[in-house]
């Protein structure tokens, strides 16, 4: 095995751009979709980790809110994992018959929760000044949690930017 250490003697400095400072054209956001195909984004500074979790590692809890898939041991801390699409009013549920699911670990102060989603697309810089107010056509269950919408094309409904604080602190979790 050959180990190439040329980077140690390089004259060029490594890129140390601060991704949390909003130094580009707006805020760094994580794009993802739920099983129905609706596309959403969260500001990346509130997302602690994106991971693929085997369903057999999520422990179902009887009589819990129907939004919850169960609990998961994340780095020694037991957290709830919820079907984010179902919470937002989508009728298509996360497919629990597959081996694993994408989970976004989201945090706001002392609250930590996992959001199960269909796929995680990428991160991109979104200019918050280009965001349009939420459309009145949004499902009622989604309205309180969408900060705004970025128009994409005429064929798609747009990228919805979610308010993670409103989601984490929602009273709907206790239903």
């Amino acid at each position: 095995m050959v180990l190439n250490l040329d980077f140690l003697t390089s004259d060029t400095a490594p890129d140390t751009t601060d991704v949390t400072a909003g130094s580009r054209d707006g805020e760094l956001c994580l794009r993802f979709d739920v099983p129905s195909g609706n596309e959403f984004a969260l500001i990346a500074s509130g997302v602690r980790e994106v991971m693929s979790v085997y369903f057999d590692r999520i422990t179902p809890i009887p009589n819990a809110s129907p939004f919850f898939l169960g609990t998961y041991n994340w780095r020694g801390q037991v957290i709830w994992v919820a079907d984010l699409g179902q919470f937002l009013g989508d009728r298509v549920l996360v497919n629990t018959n597959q081996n694993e699911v994408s989970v976004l670990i989201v945090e706001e102060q002392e609250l930590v929760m996992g959001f199960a989603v269909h796929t995680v697309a990428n991160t991109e810089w979104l200019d918050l000044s280009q965001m349009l107010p939420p459309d009145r056509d949004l499902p009622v269950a989604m309205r309180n949690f969408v900060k705004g919408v970025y128009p994409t094309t005429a064929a798609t409904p747009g990228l919805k930017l979610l308010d993670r604080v409103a989601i984490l602190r929602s009273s709907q979790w206790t239903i």
Side-chain angles (χ1 to χ4, degrees):
M1 179 171 142
V2 176
L3 184 59
N4 184 352
L5 300 176
D6 288 342
F7 70 92
L8 291 175
T9 59
S10 173
D11 291 336
T12 60
D15 182 16
T16 57
T17 306
D18 182 5
V19 296
T20 61
S23 58
R24 305 271 172 121
D25 295 332
E27 290 283 341
L28 184 62
C29 294
L30 177 69
R31 293 177 72 143
F32 58 92
D33 66 0
V34 294
S36 66
N38 282 328
E39 191 174 22
F40 297 96
L42 282 167
I43 294 177
S45 62
V47 179
R48 293 291 156 243
E49 190 170 345
V50 176
M51 57 195 318
S52 187
V53 175
Y54 288 101
F55 272 109
D56 66 354
R57 298 288 190 191
I58 299 173
T59 305
I61 304 297
N63 302 320
S65 168
F67 305 129
F68 290 119
L69 298 175
T71 58
Y72 176 74
N73 185 342
W74 176 68
R75 301 180 183 268
Q77 180 180 0
V78 177
I79 63 169
W80 286 98
V81 176
D83 182 338
L84 184 59
Q86 183 182 6
F87 176 79
L88 295 171
D90 273 354
R91 296 180 191 269
V92 182
L93 306 179
V94 167
N95 182 1
T96 57
N97 292 327
Q98 59 193 13
N99 288 336
E100 53 191 334
V101 64
S102 294
V103 175
L104 313 176
I105 306 297
V106 179
E107 181 178 36
E108 169 58 29
Q109 294 179 358
E110 75 286 350
L111 292 174
V112 180
M113 187 179 290
F115 295 146
V117 299
H118 183 252
T119 55
V120 177
N122 60 9
T123 56
E124 85 178 61
W125 294 92
L126 296 177
D127 184 355
L128 297 181
S129 67
Q130 301 296 319
M131 185 170 56
L132 301 173
D135 204 357
R136 292 181 187 232
D137 294 338
L138 285 176
V140 174
M142 197 181 296
R143 286 186 192 152
N144 294 329
F145 308 112
V146 175
K147 285 184 174 183
V149 178
Y150 289 91
T152 50
T153 65
T156 60
L159 175 66
K160 297 164 201 70
L161 181 65
L162 294 174
D163 182 344
R164 73 177 158 69
V165 175
I167 293 172
L168 287 171
R169 298 197 181 274
S170 173
S171 62
Q172 289 184 11
W173 297 118
T174 59
I175 296 175

